[in-house]
Amino acid sequence: MQKFRDLESFPNVFQYPFSVLKEKGFELKGQWQEKYFKNDHPIVLELGCGKGEYTVGLAKLFPEKNFIGIDIKGARMWTGAKEAIDENLPNVAFLRTHVELLSYFFAAQEVAEIWITFPDPQMRKANKRMTSSRFLSLYRQVMVPDGIIHLKTDSRFLYTYTSELVKINDLPVLADTDNLYHSEVANEILSIRTFYEKQWIERGLNIKYLKFVCSKTSELKEPDIEIPVDTYRSFNRGELNELFAN
């Protein structure tokens, strides 16, 4: 409870009930650079930021960019917000909301890049996947025409699904590896490790990384393929048995 009270007073954290958002709107929409960051630097989002490891880590590496971590779980967000305050990072903010509400907080072409770090692969429902055509269409509403998406995941299911979606929609791929830390793609940026990532690495799981351009050239299509499910996460034993039985 103390962390939630802290968030209410943190100057780098924004929390808006949907009722207020719908009635009054968000005063920084379309004006994040001018009114909050007070510069014209590109805006980069981390969706499902958790403790904000990438939001804060990237902000330290790239002071010439503005970073906003987005998550609905405030207790986790507290860690990154507090670190940004303690280290006096002016290019960091946090937004406590659902990703589905992005267009309430950002105007068209206001976002340059999006990081999606270790999301739930949502193996049962495609429209809940953070890289689905539904979500990419949402990102398109707020991103620049050639905005960049970064996906970092332990899930082979989500990595395969996203790779296929990118392929059938002819989205330009800038980097792609199914074993990040044993590839030429690994660098200082990608070596920032989230709380969950450290757990997966300790379990011997390969980290996958996909970087692509979220082009706005055509309506997005879903891949129509069978993808083997991950058996080590997201489903409890009963759900896995039911899934394989079907």
Side-chain angles (χ1 to χ4, degrees):
M1 294 304 295
Q2 181 59 50
K3 289 183 177 180
F4 285 108
R5 287 193 290 269
D6 288 345
L7 290 179
E8 293 177 359
S9 64
F10 282 179
N12 61 351
V13 175
F14 298 88
Q15 306 181 89
Y16 276 73
F18 181 68
S19 57
V20 175
L21 189 63
K22 191 173 182 180
E23 179 183 352
K24 299 182 178 180
F26 181 62
E27 69 272 17
L28 292 180
K29 179 178 178 178
Q31 302 182 74
W32 279 95
Q33 292 167 313
E34 177 185 355
K35 290 191 174 180
Y36 180 77
F37 294 111
K38 295 181 170 47
N39 60 49
D40 59 357
H41 300 165
I43 291 176
V44 182
L45 308 183
E46 183 191 4
L47 305 184
C49 69
K51 296 184 178 183
E53 294 97 331
Y54 256 87
T55 302
V56 174
L58 290 171
K60 292 178 182 178
L61 290 174
F62 300 100
E64 72 279 9
K65 294 183 180 181
N66 302 316
F67 295 88
I68 304 173
I70 299 176
D71 208 310
I72 194 60
K73 297 180 179 178
R76 295 178 184 174
M77 182 182 291
W78 180 94
T79 302
K82 183 68 164 57
E83 183 179 354
I85 292 172
D86 290 344
E87 299 200 21
N88 193 29
L89 298 175
N91 60 331
V92 176
F94 287 89
L95 182 59
R96 189 178 174 213
T97 189
H98 292 284
V99 173
E100 290 87 343
L101 300 181
L102 277 184
S103 61
Y104 283 87
F105 293 94
F106 300 95
Q109 300 189 33
E110 193 168 16
V111 175
E113 296 181 48
I114 288 178
W115 282 83
I116 306 171
T117 51
F118 300 91
D120 187 325
Q122 297 288 352
M123 292 183 282
R124 285 184 177 275
K125 296 183 179 180
N127 68 354
K128 288 189 175 183
R129 295 170 199 155
M130 296 284 286
T131 55
S132 67
S133 58
R134 173 196 173 210
F135 275 94
L136 291 187
S137 296
L138 173 63
Y139 307 153
R140 281 177 164 183
Q141 294 178 33
V142 301
M143 296 190 80
V144 297
D146 292 319
I148 294 173
I149 304 285
H150 304 260
L151 171 67
K152 202 176 178 188
T153 180
D154 57 284
S155 169
R156 179 159 292 281
F157 177 91
L158 184 62
Y159 167 75
T160 302
Y161 165 80
T162 307
S163 297
E164 291 297 325
L165 187 145
V166 165
K167 183 188 302 181
I168 68 166
N169 288 289
D170 296 319
L171 302 180
V173 175
L174 305 178
D176 183 5
T177 176
D178 64 355
N179 193 351
L180 177 60
Y181 296 116
H182 292 85
S183 74
E184 296 179 355
V185 177
N187 54 35
E188 186 179 13
I189 302 171
L190 294 171
S191 294
I192 299 172
R193 297 184 180 182
T194 70
F195 173 78
Y196 292 106
E197 180 174 4
K198 292 174 184 176
Q199 290 185 331
W200 305 132
I201 291 174
E202 288 173 0
R203 293 175 62 180
L205 297 174
N206 291 339
I207 304 303
K208 293 85 175 166
Y209 172 68
L210 186 61
K211 177 182 179 182
F212 60 94
V213 178
C214 193
S215 305
K216 299 182 179 181
T217 55
S218 61
E219 184 176 349
L220 294 166
K221 300 175 290 186
E222 282 287 320
D224 184 19
I225 60 169
E226 291 292 328
I227 304 174
V229 299
D230 301 328
T231 59
Y232 62 91
R233 60 170 290 177
S234 294
F235 291 91
N236 64 35
R237 186 178 301 274
E239 289 174 320
L240 272 175
N241 289 339
E242 178 184 347
L243 183 65
F244 287 128
N246 295 330

